[in-house]
Amino acid sequence: MNIPEGYTTVTPWIIGQDTARLIDYLQKAFDAVELARVLDDEGRIGHAEVRIGDAVVMMFDGASHWPPTPAFLRLYVPDADATHRRAVEAGGTSVTDVTHLFWGDRVGRVRDPFGNLWWIQSRVEEVSPEEMERRMGDPAFTKAMEYVQSADFFPGG
């Protein structure tokens, strides 16, 4: 398989109505680096790319008659708590606080100002399959999982 340098096997797309503002948010929240921006004849972004960590995320302004198409993205970072705070300070909305889950990740979710949902995660420990199974019956981990599963991703929607 021949993948272009700097890309991974899967490259997510985010389709929105204000890609320029989305890029600004991603730069503030996640240190995104803009790689490309192509404008159409009307000045809308027909194609843009940013790098977040080691991944490229592509995006463009959809046609005005398109329905909202929120993306759901998992973002591994060194410090989920700090990145979650920063994403909220940049204008996102916390969907779940950062929570230690049974498989060894700390996970918090933020909806960006454009409706996309970011799972912000840090691996804090390696957990064996046996320990994961034990934790699934541990009340503390059960309560944590119930909390994250009860989140309302789209309040009022």
Side-chain angles (χ1 to χ4, degrees), residues 7-110:
Y7 291 80
T8 55
T9 304
V10 175
T11 302
W13 281 90
I14 300 176
I15 304 166
Q17 297 301 321
D18 196 344
T19 299
R21 282 188 45 228
L22 174 61
I23 291 169
D24 290 342
Y25 173 80
L26 297 176
Q27 289 171 330
K28 291 173 188 162
F30 306 128
D31 288 328
V33 176
E34 185 174 334
L35 303 175
R37 184 185 299 215
V38 178
L39 302 178
D40 66 17
D41 294 339
E42 297 174 7
R44 294 172 52 85
I45 295 178
H47 179 85
E49 297 182 12
V50 299
R51 179 174 307 286
I52 302 173
D54 64 354
V56 172
V57 179
M58 295 183 181
M59 57 201 72
F60 67 93
D61 290 326
S64 61
H65 65 277
W66 289 11
T69 310
F72 284 46
L73 301 114
R74 177 183 282 185
L75 176 62
Y76 272 99
V77 297
D79 183 340
D81 295 274
T83 302
H84 185 276
R85 270 191 310 277
R86 187 171 163 192
V88 170
E89 289 167 1
T93 302
S94 180
V95 174
T96 58
D97 294 331
V98 178
T99 305
H100 190 163
L101 297 174
F102 71 91
W103 63 86
D105 284 5
R106 287 186 55 73
V107 180
R109 293 176 290 193
V110 172

Side-chain angles (χ1 to χ4, degrees), residues 115-153:
N116 304 298
L117 193 64
W118 296 83
W119 269 256
I120 300 169
Q121 299 186 214
S122 294
R123 175 62 45 101
V124 294
E125 61 180 330
E126 295 301 324
V127 180
S128 70
E130 297 78 22
E131 177 61 11
M132 273 192 245
E133 188 172 331
R134 185 197 70 74
R135 288 179 176 190
M136 290 171 70
D138 179 321
F141 285 105
T142 301
K143 185 176 179 180
M145 199 65 191
E146 287 171 357
Y147 165 67
V148 298
Q149 288 178 335
S150 70
D152 185 359
F153 294 157

